[in-house]
Amino acid sequence: MLVLSRREGEKIIIGDSVIVTIVRTSGDKVRVGIDAPDDILVLRGELEVHHDGKRAPHKAVPIQQEMTKPAA
């Protein structure tokens, strides 16, 4: 496992098409933005995934998408 330290606004690039951005930090919480193509499934770790790569319908919880303004 690669462990990195990042500050707000900094990015981590995974492969050619996934960008993880540290949107906000507050106390012991970190708000992370993930920009990935539609064909890449992105789930929180606590959500179960079936062997076919799809979410389990009884565990799936929609993630509210929040539009944020970049810091000036």
Side-chain angles (χ1 to χ4, degrees), residues 34 41-49 53-56 60 63:
I34 302 169
L41 182 64
V42 178
L43 294 175
R44 297 187 317 248
E46 69 271 15
L47 295 179
E48 181 180 329
V49 177
K54 295 183 181 176
R55 289 183 283 186
I63 299 172

Side-chain angles (χ1 to χ4, degrees):
M1 176 189 308
L2 173 64
V3 178
L4 301 171
S5 296
R6 302 278 81 199
R7 295 177 190 225
E8 287 184 20
E10 294 183 329
K11 300 177 186 296
I12 299 167
I13 300 171
I14 302 171
D16 293 329
S17 59
V18 178
I19 300 173
V20 179
T21 304
I22 306 305
V23 176
R24 185 180 332 157
T25 58
S26 177
D28 63 344
K29 293 186 179 184
V30 177
R31 191 168 199 110
V32 176
I34 302 169
D35 186 15
D38 292 337
D39 63 330
I40 295 179
L41 182 64
V42 178
L43 294 175
R44 297 187 317 248
E46 69 271 15
L47 295 179
E48 181 180 329
V49 177
H50 289 288
H51 293 288
D52 62 3
K54 295 183 181 176
R55 289 183 283 186
H58 66 284
K59 291 259 186 164
V61 177
I63 299 172
Q64 182 181 15
Q65 189 172 19
E66 179 180 305
M67 298 297 290
T68 58
K69 274 187 169 177

